[in-house]
């Protein structure tokens, strides 16, 4: 179980405002190694998703059939808490 999911399970509001580092694969929107601030946490039975301050809520991707979609929802498995790296 990842650390962010554990923190969210005990109180997801405690994660709001915390800094995280992205460790997943880079694409045209989010880059590996960049730092982001948590704006909102969505928690499911086995998953935790992060909404980030620095990224737009909606993203237009030119090479898909859907012209615009939710872009600011990322799986917490691809992040580590910055305070955990110190």
């Amino acid at each position: 179980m990842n650390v962010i999911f554990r923190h969210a399970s005990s109180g997801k509001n405690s994660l709001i405002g915390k800094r995280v580092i992205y460790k997943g694969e880079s694409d045209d929107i989010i880059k590996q190694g960049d730092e982001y601030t948590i704006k909102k946490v969505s928690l499911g039975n086995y998953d935790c998703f992060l909404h980030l301050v620095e990224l737009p809520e909606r993203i237009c991707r030119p090479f898909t059939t859907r012209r615009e979609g939710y872009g600011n929802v990322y799986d917490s498995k691809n992040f580590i808490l910055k305070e955990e790296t110190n």
Side-chain angles (χ1 to χ4, degrees), residues 10-74:
S10 63
K12 66 182 185 176
N13 289 336
S14 66
L15 287 173
I16 295 173
K18 300 264 184 171
R19 301 286 293 172
V20 290
I21 299 171
Y22 183 67
K23 63 179 177 105
E25 291 187 28
S26 297
D27 63 15
D28 57 336
I29 297 172
I30 190 166
K31 305 290 183 221
Q32 186 177 40
D34 284 355
E35 289 184 25
Y36 300 96
T37 307
I38 299 173
K39 175 170 57 174
K40 181 180 166 187
V41 178
S42 298
L43 190 60
N45 290 337
Y46 303 103
D47 296 317
C48 178
F49 295 95
L50 305 177
H51 304 257
L52 306 171
V53 172
E54 293 83 1
L55 298 175
E57 283 299 317
R58 298 185 85 41
I59 294 175
C60 182
R61 295 188 185 265
F63 300 110
T64 63
T65 56
R66 294 178 65 196
R67 300 304 290 166
E68 187 175 296
Y70 294 105
N72 193 358
V73 180
Y74 293 94

